[in-house]
Amino acid sequence: MITKTAMITICGRPNVGKSTLTNALLGEKIAIVSNKPQTTRNRISAVVNRGDAQLILMDTPGFHKPRNRLGDYMVQVVRESVADVDGVMLVVEPIASVGEQERALIERIRSTGAPAVLVINKIDTVEKKEALLEVIAAYSAAYDGFDAIIPISARTGDGLDELMRQLSQYAQEGPQLFPDGMTTDQADSQVCAETVREKMLLCLDKEIPHGTAVEVTRFSERDNGIIDLDVTIYCEKASHKGIIIGKNGEMIKRISTLARRDIEKFMGTKVYMETWVKVKENWRDNVNFIRSQGYNEN
């Protein structure tokens, strides 16, 4: 029975593996993952029940220097997520120097007084374990307020049990916030839209996938459980539209097939999906459009 809860923020620079870590701790995929920076745009909450504690893990966008209104929004999400929580996980790579983004996040943690754990991810890429000691020393010198420093590999699962034990200590007496069986606060349609975006990040090069937004315009379930999805992909230029559709529609077919496979796995049922591509110039600086996509500042 759940008698304690903890709200825990996962923060760090782009591409340190925050979403991979969220999925690994949860044991299922709810946050999209790619090797391109700024994959996560919104705050995504994963719900993990462990013993008598319910941990709400908030995966946040990578902390970066914004270049447009969407970027401003993403950075604001991170700043707000570090305040008024029971704990913060600062996820870093095993590099023995503290970067500018990490210093800014440490300063934010220091100013809010939030209990914090330093999580050194990707230790499976470190050949000599002595190198980890140098990373630990660099961060200990930058901030002596970490409750624990835990080396992990989100990819292999190494160190995750120790991390969960530490996070469980932040749980406070209180009612269960999410019902049993619920793994995320995202609507199913949002998970579907994000899955399509992940496949674009996988299939398309350079800046193009960052200039796209995905909207599920129809999400309906038939009597037999089959789900019908209408998906609209917005891009910033007509030339991008051609690239996303591809020669004879091959690229959009590939993106849709990969996305549908993952969506069927997540929903546990067959999915029929139709995809359209529309041009919406400079949407990342269009405040009304950003809000219509669910990126709200409050």
Side-chain angles (χ1 to χ4, degrees), residues 139-157:
Y139 277 93
S140 299
Y143 183 55
D144 59 5
F146 291 114
D147 293 338
I149 296 177
I150 303 175
I152 65 142
S153 167
R155 201 175 62 78
T156 66

Side-chain angles (χ1 to χ4, degrees), residues 6 21 50 52 56 58 73 78 80-81 96 112 143 165 185 200 235 249 269 274 291 298:
L21 175 57
R50 184 187 166 100
D52 62 352
I56 294 94
M58 296 185 294
Y73 164 78
V78 184
E80 288 172 6
S81 297
T112 60
Y143 183 55
R165 276 195 296 276
D185 65 343
M200 285 196 290
C235 60
T269 186
E274 292 210 42
R291 284 188 183 139
N298 52 17

Side-chain angles (χ1 to χ4, degrees), residues 205-238:
D205 276 344
K206 303 187 175 69
E207 180 63 14
I208 291 172
H210 291 302
T212 59
V214 181
E215 185 177 15
V216 172
T217 50
R218 181 167 75 116
F219 183 103
S220 60
E221 194 172 342
R222 301 183 198 175
D223 292 341
N224 61 3
I226 289 173
I227 288 168
D228 290 295
L229 281 183
D230 286 357
V231 175
T232 301
I233 295 168
Y234 296 97
C235 60
E236 292 185 311
K237 294 176 184 169

Side-chain angles (χ1 to χ4, degrees), residues 70-123:
L70 178 64
D72 291 340
Y73 164 78
M74 288 159 66
V75 169
Q76 191 58 27
V77 165
V78 184
R79 286 187 192 284
E80 288 172 6
S81 297
V82 176
D84 300 324
V85 288
D86 301 304
V88 176
M89 273 191 272
L90 174 57
V91 184
V92 301
E93 292 187 326
I95 297 165
S97 63
V98 183
E100 193 184 324
Q101 286 123 310
E102 285 79 12
R103 286 191 190 281
L105 285 165
I106 285 170
E107 207 37 60
R108 186 79 182 128
I109 290 165
R110 195 197 304 270
S111 67
T112 60
V117 180
L118 181 71
V119 178
I120 304 170
N121 191 20
K122 306 185 184 180
I123 58 166

Side-chain angles (χ1 to χ4, degrees), residues 19 22-31 46 181-184 265-266:
S19 296
T22 301
N23 294 335
L25 292 172
L26 184 63
E28 95 173 72
K29 183 173 177 178
I30 59 145
M182 188 168 173
T183 55
T184 177
K265 204 180 288 181
F266 175 75

